[in-house]
């Protein structure tokens, strides 16, 4: 009798067809045994010859959606069974990884376009694709634990589900028109008879707006090539300038964007994110006003494929929500909140277990701007040297996301929105409970931002756990180090951290820093010369305020008077001089706003976060000689050079390029010096300003010859903050944070 082995496979191995893969592999190799799912992943008992080769193949030949973290083996003394069987799931709890939602695979896409019982069926899926996290209510991942539990399989689907040789074997959302979710089209609450997709397409071709229920929530769709439809949607949503995301078949996207091979690879990824690509400027300007890039995605569900096939062009596919609120997911909620926006509703009766916005990414340079559908709940390995301890980190106020650490891995949660909106706050608290229950998380430690008034900070305090308060920019630095698997004992790095704002341990507002540090602590090696933010938050919304302060600093008050003659400049100066509601800040984000305002870009008001800086980036010409900065990262010389260029009639594209390149050179210099002096081993780039591809490229070029660490799979913005907080908490351990000065902080 051949010796047997028990094999444990850990990782993202449930809901990806791993058990049928194991069954087929065992039959191919002439092995007997059994395989099952349980809270730790996949368990296998196997007998036969060359089990080592079988164990190696489990990792090397794993299904497309699987992520194998470990394959562990040990001897078995039990007698061998006569064949190889797939068993039902065992146990409760969550030690394994959950698979993110995956875009429709080629086989299913072909099936909905071919004769057969699933032709034209909007909910076709298999073990290689379809809904996962968006329908999951509990673990192990079985149909009864999903929102598909309400749909009883017909005999034909049951046969597919129980056939180990079928690609639908144990595909929990398996369905067909006879037994699965139903699609319909309704107007003003009345369901219209006939083909739902055809009716939606007819409305879109008329220039109307259609609410479409997708995987993680509703979208609002309209014809991207129709200026009147775009104007209608913008007027109804009160969204004058924020770029719209677009969806189209690959051939259609080639017509509107200059797609590179890396762009195409990212678009075709099973995560199917929105990808920022270079525009061909053939669509109306109203799609993305003032932008050089478009956010595009391929259809990622059968419903989207059917809709795009019938429409034949490119659709706007923007989040279905009231301004500032989370995306709508429930049918009744959609009828209530989207009725003022949509002329019709393309709806279905499969519930959405959690709101998941579309992920937003860039291929060159690789970066994630919003980590959501298709990427969560994927986990990140902890760098070498970190203790195995459960931690909860609550993130920041903007771009909310939480992070759970367990079993040597960090689960960075999905984008929850800005926690200044009451419904986003509700979603944040739901996520805390949802993730804790779903992943059986019992933290021993909590981490949060220094700012005492953040919703996320108060939530961490409310846990009653030992608390580590992490300075905002230290968390950014740690997140970049963690993504790059920088060891706990890897030594200090120079962190260039550029963003909008973060409370410093000195009680002032930081935002343009060079930090020298690691996970455990940091020193502030250099920073942008501070300027007042008159009006506080109003300075973030109205870029002209920042421009006046920076021009005045540079001795250019007359220029400020001319550029902003229509604004209450004298009153602004009085507020700044009085020091009331005018905190000093080293914010790089507000510096971008100031330069943009000098060029007339969103000067008086921004209609969406980052609008002025995004327009400035889109305007920038080729790299060249940057503007000078003074000692102490003083932008006054830069503004004096910019003022001369304005007087000389230099093109705005050149002015923008000179600003980007000058800023990069100014911050690269002290970071390079720290490496040259042996005080830092590398340079890490983080903060929301690093979403700017032009700045990213300029910084990497200015740091040529120096080891540079960047974000690629976690957001450089506040969406990655919780990951960094968790790492700092693990490194520092319980007790008062080393980021917190003695005596605490005042509220800013």
């Amino acid at each position: 009798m051949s010796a047997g082995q028990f094999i444990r496979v850990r990782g993202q191995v449930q809901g990806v067809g791993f058990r049928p893969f194991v069954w087929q592999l065992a039959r191919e190799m002439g092995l007997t045994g059994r395989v099952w799912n349980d809270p730790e992943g996949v368990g296998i008992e196997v007998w036969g010859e060359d089990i080592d080769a079988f164990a190696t193949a489990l990792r090397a030949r794993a299904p497309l959606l699987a992520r194998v973290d470990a394959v562990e083996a040990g001897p078995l003394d039990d007698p061998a069974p006569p064949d190889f069987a797939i068993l039902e799931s065992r146990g409760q709890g969550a030690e394994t990884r959950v698979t993110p939602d995956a875009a429709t695979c080629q086989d299913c896409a072909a099936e909905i376009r071919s004769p057969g019982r699933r032709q034209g069926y909007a909910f076709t899926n298999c073990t290689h694709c379809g809904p996962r996290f968006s329908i999951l209510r509990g673990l192990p991942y079985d149909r009864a634990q999903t929102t598909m539990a309400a749909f009883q399989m017909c005999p034909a689907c049951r046969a597919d589900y129980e056939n180990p040789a079928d690609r639908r074997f144990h595909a929990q959302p398996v369905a067909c028109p006879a037994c699965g979710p139903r699609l319909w089209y309704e107007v003003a609450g009345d369901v219209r008879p006939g083909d739902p997709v055809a009716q939606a397409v007819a409305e879109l071709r008329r220039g109307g707006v259609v609410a479409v229920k997708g995987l993680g929530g509703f979208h609002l769709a309209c014809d991207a090539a129709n200026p009147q439809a775009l104007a209608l949607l913008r007027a109804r949503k009160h969204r004058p300038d924020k770029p719209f995301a677009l969806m189209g078949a690959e051939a259609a996207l080639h017509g509107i964007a200059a797609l590179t091979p890396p762009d195409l690879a990212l678009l075709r990824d099973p995560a199917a994110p929105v990808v920022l690509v270079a525009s061909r400027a053939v669509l109306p300007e109203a799609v993305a006003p003032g932008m050089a890039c478009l956010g595009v995605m391929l259809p990622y569900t059968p419903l989207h494929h059917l809709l795009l096939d019938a429409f034949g062009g490119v659709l706007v596919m923007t989040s279905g929500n009231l301004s500032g609120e989370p995306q709508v997911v429930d049918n009744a909620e959609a009828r209530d909140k989207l009725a003022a926006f949509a002329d019709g509703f393309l709806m279905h009766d499969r519930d959405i277990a959690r709101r998941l916005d579309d992920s937003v990414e860039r291929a060159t340079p690789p970066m994630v701007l919003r980590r959501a559908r298709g990427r969560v709940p994927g986990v990140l390995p902890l760098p070498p040297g970190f203790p195995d301890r459960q931690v909860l980190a609550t993130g920041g106020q903007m771009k909310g996301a939480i992070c759970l650490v367990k079993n040597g891995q960090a689960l960075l949660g999905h984008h929850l929105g800005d926690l200044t909106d009451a419904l986003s706050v509700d979603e944040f608290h739901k996520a805390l409970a949802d993730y804790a229950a779903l992943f059986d998380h019992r933290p021993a430690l909590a981490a949060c931002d220094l700012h005492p008034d953040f919703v996320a900070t108060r939530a961490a305090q409310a846990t009653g756990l030992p608390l580590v308060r992490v300075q905002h920019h230290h968390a950014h630095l740690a997140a970049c180090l963690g993504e790059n698997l920088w060891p706990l004992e890897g030594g200090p790095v120079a962190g260039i951290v550029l963003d909008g704002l973060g409370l410093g341990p000195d009680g002032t507002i930081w935002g343009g820093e060079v930090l020298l540090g690691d996970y455990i602590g940091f020193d502030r090696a250099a920073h942008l010369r501070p300027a007042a933010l008159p009006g506080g938050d109003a300075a973030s919304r109205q870029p002209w305020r920042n421009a006046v302060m920076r021009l005045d600093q540079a001795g250019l008050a007359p220029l400020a008077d001319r550029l902003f003659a229509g604004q209450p400049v004298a009153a602004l100066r009085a507020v700044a001089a009085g020091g009331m509601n005018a905190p000093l800040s080293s914010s790089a984000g507000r510096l971008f706003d100031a330069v943009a305002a000098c060029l007339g870009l969103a000067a008086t008001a921004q209609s969406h976060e980052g609008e002025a800086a995004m327009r400035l980036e889109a305007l920038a010409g080729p790299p060249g000689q940057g503007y000078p900065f003074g000692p102490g990262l003083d932008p006054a010389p830069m503004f004096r050079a910019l003022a001369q260029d304005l007087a000389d009639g230099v093109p705005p594209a050149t002015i923008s390029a000179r600003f980007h390149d000058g800023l990069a050179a100014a911050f690269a210099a002290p970071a390079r010096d720290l490496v040259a002096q042996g005080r830092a081993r590398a340079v890490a780039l983080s903060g929301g300003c690093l979403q700017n591809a032009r700045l990213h490229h300029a910084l990497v070029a200015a740091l040529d010859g120096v080891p540079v660490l960047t974000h690629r799979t976690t957001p450089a913005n506040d969406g990655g903050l919780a990951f960094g907080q968790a790492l700092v908490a693990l490194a520092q351990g319980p007790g008062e944070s080393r980021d917190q000065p003695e005596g605490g902080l005042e509220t800013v």
Side-chain angles (χ1 to χ4, degrees), residues 265-631:
L266 189 53
L267 284 165
R268 295 166 182 164
D269 189 277
V274 174
V275 181
L276 300 184
V277 297
S279 172
R280 292 192 185 277
V282 298
L283 290 175
E285 172 72 6
V287 167
M291 299 295 119
C293 290
L294 299 173
V296 303
M297 56 182 158
L298 294 174
Y300 56 82
T301 72
L303 174 56
H304 292 127
H305 280 281
L306 295 169
L307 186 63
L308 268 296
D309 284 357
F311 182 73
V314 177
L315 292 173
V316 165
M317 200 66 72
T318 190
S319 180
N321 62 325
L322 299 178
S323 180
E325 289 191 1
Q327 189 177 21
V328 169
V329 297
D330 178 76
N331 291 350
E333 182 187 20
R335 294 183 187 104
D336 177 45
K337 293 188 173 181
L338 304 183
F341 304 151
D343 299 294
F345 292 79
L346 190 55
M347 306 179 84
H348 60 76
D349 56 356
R350 185 179 67 204
D351 289 341
I352 297 171
R354 59 188 53 77
R355 301 173 202 262
L356 293 173
D357 291 278
D358 295 313
S359 292
V360 181
E361 306 184 15
R362 194 191 294 272
T364 308
M367 63 174 69
V368 173
L369 290 83
R370 184 167 71 197
R371 194 168 185 271
R373 178 196 50 77
R375 297 299 183 197
V376 290
V379 298
L380 304 162
L382 296 188
F386 277 85
D388 185 7
R389 194 173 194 190
Q390 293 194 33
V391 175
L392 167 67
T394 57
Q397 186 81 345
M398 308 293 284
K399 298 175 177 61
I402 65 173
C403 184
L404 283 62
V405 174
K406 180 179 178 181
N407 295 339
Q409 297 177 321
L411 194 165
L412 179 59
H414 60 284
H415 172 80
L416 295 166
D418 296 339
L419 304 185
T420 53
D421 172 75
L423 290 179
S424 294
V425 173
D426 289 344
E427 289 299 308
F428 172 80
H429 287 291
K430 286 179 186 176
L432 288 174
D434 178 32
Y435 277 76
L438 195 58
F439 299 100
D440 195 20
H441 193 243
R442 297 181 177 87
L445 194 62
C448 64
D449 193 88
L450 284 187
H451 201 299
D453 291 336
F454 281 180
V455 169
T457 300
R458 294 197 297 267
Q461 292 171 326
T463 64
L465 296 168
L467 191 63
V468 176
R469 301 175 188 270
V470 183
Q471 198 279 324
H472 193 89
H473 299 90
H474 188 198
H476 275 305
L477 171 62
C480 186
L481 292 178
E483 178 179 336
N484 287 275
L485 297 178
W486 192 263
L488 179 60
E489 303 295 335
V493 303
I496 298 177
V497 186
L498 308 176
D499 68 355
L501 61 87
L503 184 60
D506 58 358
T508 66
I509 299 175
W510 292 9
E513 322 303 317
V514 179
L515 305 181
L516 176 64
D518 54 16
Y519 301 104
I520 295 176
F522 68 93
D523 292 316
R524 195 185 191 196
H527 60 85
L528 195 67
R529 179 187 176 186
L533 297 178
D537 287 345
S540 298
R541 298 189 297 268
Q542 300 175 347
W544 71 272
R545 294 171 179 257
N546 305 290
V548 170
M549 293 297 98
R550 287 298 186 182
L551 290 171
D552 284 4
Q553 267 189 350
L556 298 168
L559 177 59
D561 292 336
R562 290 198 303 275
L563 289 176
F564 308 111
Q567 303 301 321
V569 174
L572 185 82
R573 288 176 174 140
V575 169
M580 290 295 293
N581 198 26
L584 290 176
S585 172
S586 59
S587 169
R590 301 294 77 79
L591 185 68
F592 270 89
D593 289 349
V595 173
C598 289
L599 295 179
L601 304 174
T604 57
Q606 301 192 80
S607 68
H608 59 90
E609 184 198 0
E611 178 183 2
M614 291 166 65
R615 286 177 177 263
L616 188 64
E617 176 190 0
L619 189 64
Q625 183 65 42
Y627 287 135
F629 278 64

